[in-house]
Amino acid sequence: MTKRETDTVQSAFLKQQPVKMLIGGQWVESASGKTFDTINPSTGEVLATVAEGDAEDMNRAVAAARKAFESGPWPRLTPSQRGRLLWKVAELIEKNAEELAELETLDNGKPIKYSRASDVPLTADHFRYFAGWATKLEGDTIPVSIPNMFTYTLREPMGVVGQIIPWNFPLQMASWKLAPALACGNTVILKPAEQTPLTALRLGELICEAGFPEGVVNIVPGFGETAGAALASHPDVDKIAFTGSTEVGKKILQASVGNLKRVTLELGGKSPNIIFPDADMKYAVRGAMNAIFFNQGQVCTAGSRLFVHKSVYDSVLSGLTDNASKMKLGLGIDPNTDLGPLVSQEQLERVTGYIETGKREGAKATTGGERAGNELAKGYFVQPTVFDNVHDDMTLAREEIFGPVVVALPFENLEEVAARANRSIYGLAAGVWTSDVKKVHKMAAALKAGVIWVNTYNMFDAAAPFGGYKQSGYGREMGHAVLDAYTQIKTVWINLR
Ligand code: NAI
Ligand code: MG
């Protein structure tokens, strides 16, 4: 790591200790005075100390958001003014792109080349896309069959929205939550993940700089069981949007019952990625690599079950094994790194635990299968791992691992693989590799998942709806589909007689 690469960040944002939280337009310490450390997962060292939010901070933040929603300048802004504020955030993200990319990489561990090329530009793009929606939230005129009635609908904001996000794409997750909620006129309390609070807080500074009225966006870092739970159960929060584990998603739903909050959930996955023998194999193998190893496999859509037709199984497996063994593991901040560390000690233990379970159950690693040693031993690095000799009922093939671990599974025909692919509690995404248009359409129809990628994988765009079937959650983010999650419809009847 060169000196220059950390200088920008060290000199600006990280110098303030502790990093404060944003409540009602003010940067404040926690009510309790407590703080927590966020770790650089490449080195295991403390990166920054952050104000630790708890129930009392959530009370303050919800009160600020409620005030801003009911009586601040926010509800009086025109849609065009709301759109301009969101557009301004996109511009400020681009202006501060390098700093944000470095902060993201230092806090999460992800390779800097991806923070620069993907996380930061896609975050800006999300704000820009939703800036456009602010002026397009239309109601309908309804042709009711009752004489002399003029009936129309209004699309109104939900109100005060709580948003709880994970650590795998901290900036992008913040933008997926904030941009549509704000475009629709809501006010927000965002709780970033305790592992990666920094970029959301820096984004909060940019949101203030853009000129959002105080209390419209509140950002309260803290732990799930305390800060997150307090937000999820708060009686004055109208809606919760959550991304994270299926286990916690169920807790969010239970916590919503008190005041019947609206809830949208984007949860886990165990996505099938299916290679037919008529696929272009060079791209299919490359696609299988990207599907599982992008972001160290810490992706809700990770293609962690690789189904390969038995006629090409051996060659695909050897191509994948060869490519995986050549990946360059390294510090996130090193521009040559292909695979960075996992986010935390906890994730390291979880993933290596799965690898051990897999070996015990009889799976064979063709490459990887260990924690990385030597100069990377202080960080949370796991080798890219490919497992052969797996069957559908093994733990490795059923449970979300959330690490750079893929299981290869041979199949014989389309009906069989579609049925096996669907045999999961999850249904987030699926990949299909084939050059046969009939197989494309049959598989797209047969697979029970919210997103199907054909001859590609891990494609995301602010305009394309995203979300899960089954226990991968409900509601959709992105595109016009997400507007349903952040607005409610009011029907107005006028008697013209
Ligand atoms: P998690 O679901 O515990 O954390 C996600 C967010 O929820 C964090 O902001 C956390 O503080 C918050 N949270 C945790 N408990 C809460 C509660 N009781 N009430 C309200 N908020 C709460 O995920 P974790 O423990 O970090 O990772 C565990 C596993 O979850 C991963 O191995 C992976 O399988 C899955 N996961 C899936 C993600 C996805 O994108 N779908 C993202 C992160 C994790
Ligand atoms: Mg961290």
Side-chain angles (χ1 to χ4, degrees):
M1 159 173 27
T2 66
K3 187 153 185 341
R4 196 206 64 78
E5 270 165 329
T6 48
D7 266 0
T8 344
V9 178
Q10 302 288 358
S11 61
F13 187 69
L14 293 181
K15 281 271 162 67
Q16 45 154 345
Q17 290 293 313
V19 179
K20 297 192 176 69
M21 58 179 82
L22 176 61
I23 296 180
Q26 306 295 315
W27 290 93
V28 296
E29 298 197 6
S30 59
S32 67
K34 280 203 285 186
T35 60
F36 67 103
D37 291 335
T38 185
I39 307 289
N40 176 349
S42 290
T43 61
E45 287 161 8
V46 174
L47 180 60
T49 297
V50 180
E52 183 186 328
D54 201 342
E56 186 48 34
D57 304 290
M58 285 301 171
N59 286 338
R60 292 194 287 164
V62 171
R66 174 58 62 193
K67 186 165 170 240
F69 181 75
E70 304 293 348
S71 58
W74 179 243
R76 289 197 297 271
L77 292 189
T78 65
S80 168
Q81 287 169 323
R82 272 205 322 272
R84 276 165 195 260
L85 286 173
L86 287 163
W87 192 273
K88 180 81 185 165
V89 173
E91 288 179 338
L92 289 170
I93 290 167
E94 283 166 353
K95 196 172 145 200
N96 295 278
E98 182 57 21
E99 181 193 353
L100 288 167
E102 288 175 16
L103 264 182
E104 192 80 324
T105 282
L106 290 173
D107 210 11
N108 167 281
K110 64 178 66 200
I112 187 76
K113 65 180 175 192
Y114 295 119
S115 297
R116 284 178 182 144
S118 168
D119 294 83
V120 173
L122 288 177
T123 299
D125 193 52
H126 219 79
F127 278 95
R128 207 163 260 135
Y129 173 83
F130 282 101
W133 269 116
T135 47
K136 295 162 194 71
L137 301 169
E138 299 170 348
D140 297 310
T141 52
I142 314 293
V144 296
S145 298
I146 302 172
N148 299 312
M149 289 292 163
F150 176 57
T151 306
Y152 65 92
T153 60
L154 295 169
R155 224 177 225 280
E156 298 192 330
M158 289 281 181
V160 173
V161 175
Q163 307 186 313
I164 300 175
I165 57 173
W167 41 260
N168 51 348
F169 296 93
L171 262 180
Q172 287 194 71
M173 291 300 109
S175 71
W176 289 18
K177 295 284 179 283
L178 292 172
L182 296 170
C184 294
N186 299 281
T187 60
V188 174
I189 303 100
L190 177 76
K191 194 202 83 62
E194 55 270 37
Q195 297 85 351
T196 57
L198 296 179
T199 46
L201 290 163
R202 181 70 183 102
L203 180 63
E205 290 188 343
L206 299 179
I207 285 169
C208 294
E209 189 180 336
F212 275 83
E214 64 182 42
V216 173
V217 176
N218 305 274
I219 304 182
V220 182
F223 291 87
E225 300 73 22
T226 51
L231 185 58
S233 63
H234 201 289
D236 203 29
V237 169
D238 300 303
K239 185 232 156 79
I240 289 275
F242 171 78
T243 299
S245 60
T246 294
E247 183 193 349
V248 173
K250 291 177 184 178
K251 291 187 189 166
I252 300 283
L253 197 55
Q254 279 162 355
S256 74
V257 168
N259 68 336
L260 287 183
K261 287 180 189 65
R262 279 56 182 155
V263 177
T264 45
L265 302 171
E266 201 267 275
L267 308 175
K270 187 73 186 175
S271 297
N273 190 22
I274 303 164
I275 302 182
F276 285 97
D278 53 16
D280 185 328
M281 285 304 156
K282 192 173 100 195
Y283 292 103
V285 171
R286 210 185 278 168
M289 291 284 296
N290 159 47
I292 188 62
F293 297 128
F294 177 58
N295 214 44
Q296 295 66 247
Q298 301 169 134
V299 184
C300 50
T301 55
S304 51
R305 287 188 293 155
L306 181 65
F307 290 98
V308 186
H309 190 266
K310 63 174 188 183
S311 67
V312 289
Y313 182 82
D314 289 343
S315 65
V316 167
L317 191 66
S318 79
L320 189 64
T321 300
D322 190 41
N323 284 325
S325 63
K326 288 183 186 144
M327 287 186 89
K328 189 176 177 315
L329 269 71
L331 304 185
I333 205 75
D334 180 341
N336 297 314
T337 293
D338 298 322
L339 198 83
L342 300 180
V343 76
S344 64
Q345 177 72 29
E346 190 186 347
Q347 284 304 114
L348 174 71
E349 285 166 15
R350 188 190 300 257
V351 171
T352 51
Y354 272 118
I355 289 174
E356 291 317 312
T357 303
K359 290 178 183 169
R360 229 179 10 253
E361 292 181 0
K364 292 216 163 38
T366 62
T367 183
E370 307 286 342
R371 180 179 182 173
N374 299 332
E375 73 275 20
L376 298 180
K378 283 194 299 172
Y380 311 130
F381 292 88
V382 171
Q383 296 169 345
T385 301
V386 179
F387 272 112
D388 184 18
N389 207 33
V390 178
H391 59 76
D392 294 3
D393 298 327
M394 284 185 185
T395 309
L396 280 183
R398 285 186 293 108
E399 295 187 16
E400 180 173 55
I401 299 173
F402 229 63
V405 180
V406 63
V407 297
L409 299 156
F411 72 89
E412 297 198 7
N413 64 58
L414 184 147
E415 289 72 24
E416 169 218 336
V417 76
R420 288 169 64 196
N422 286 336
R423 214 175 296 138
S424 170
I425 62 164
Y426 298 113
L428 194 53
V432 178
W433 299 82
T434 176
S435 50
D436 174 1
V437 71
K438 290 186 211 156
K439 287 200 193 82
V440 170
H441 288 290
K442 280 185 189 160
M443 291 301 288
L447 291 168
K448 293 183 168 58
V451 190
I452 313 288
W453 286 301
V454 180
N455 297 332
T456 186
Y457 207 92
N458 276 340
M459 284 290 144
F460 293 90
D461 186 285
F466 176 75
Y469 279 28
K470 300 192 267 184
Q471 292 190 41
S472 292
Y474 45 68
R476 291 291 176 269
E477 301 194 276
M478 302 200 261
H480 59 76
V482 74
L483 304 176
D484 291 337
Y486 288 108
T487 56
Q488 47 197 347
I489 288 175
K490 176 183 280 176
T491 306
V492 182
W493 294 73
I494 302 173
N495 187 348
L496 300 178
R497 190 178 1 229

